[in-house]
Amino acid sequence: MTEQTKTVFVNVTAIALISLLLIGGNTLWRQRTQFLRGEEAMGRGDVMAAVSAYEAALHMYTPLGPHVEKSARRLWEIGAGFERVGDTERALIAYRALRSSFYAAAWLVQPGREWIARCDMKIAMLAGRGGPR
């Protein structure tokens, strides 16, 4: 390998690594921003805006992302809260948002399989009660 080829290889590798770091960092930042928007919306009592923000945070899925599990837990809690007060339609919205967010994040593997299975059971149960399908 000539010196020029080595230099090109090193430069291309460095650019690729830097690009991956920038993309990953940007995704983590947007995930955090959406999670905080969800927290803010919950603080002011706007639950449906919170569902939207947590769902968006999950769409920014990164393996081991710090806000993935927190966002999933929040969506589950919101769905359970609506379920407790008998608001089947909004409970279904929260559970479906949680499930579809993990489906949307599929790549080489399917993340959130446990959450998907839990949501499938809840959705089947709630939709079976005459809720929207």
Side-chain angles (χ1 to χ4, degrees), residues 3-89:
E3 192 63 36
Q4 184 179 9
T5 305
K6 288 179 188 177
T7 302
V8 168
F9 179 75
V10 167
N11 286 340
V12 167
T13 302
I15 290 169
L17 288 174
I18 290 169
S19 296
L20 287 174
L21 286 171
L22 288 172
I23 291 168
N26 180 277
T27 303
L28 286 169
W29 179 260
R30 292 184 317 161
Q31 182 186 92
R32 177 183 178 277
T33 300
Q34 290 300 323
F35 176 79
L36 293 175
R37 284 184 183 163
E39 294 290 281
E40 180 184 312
M42 285 299 287
R44 66 177 187 271
D46 190 352
V47 180
M48 295 314 290
V51 167
S52 179
Y54 294 134
E55 181 180 17
L58 287 174
H59 280 246
M60 312 291 168
Y61 178 83
T62 52
L64 305 174
H67 299 292
V68 170
E69 189 66 24
K70 289 190 253 182
S71 295
R73 212 173 310 116
R74 293 283 199 257
L75 281 171
W76 185 264
E77 291 166 359
I78 290 169
F82 281 132
E83 197 176 346
R84 272 191 301 280
V85 298
D87 192 341
T88 303
E89 186 174 329

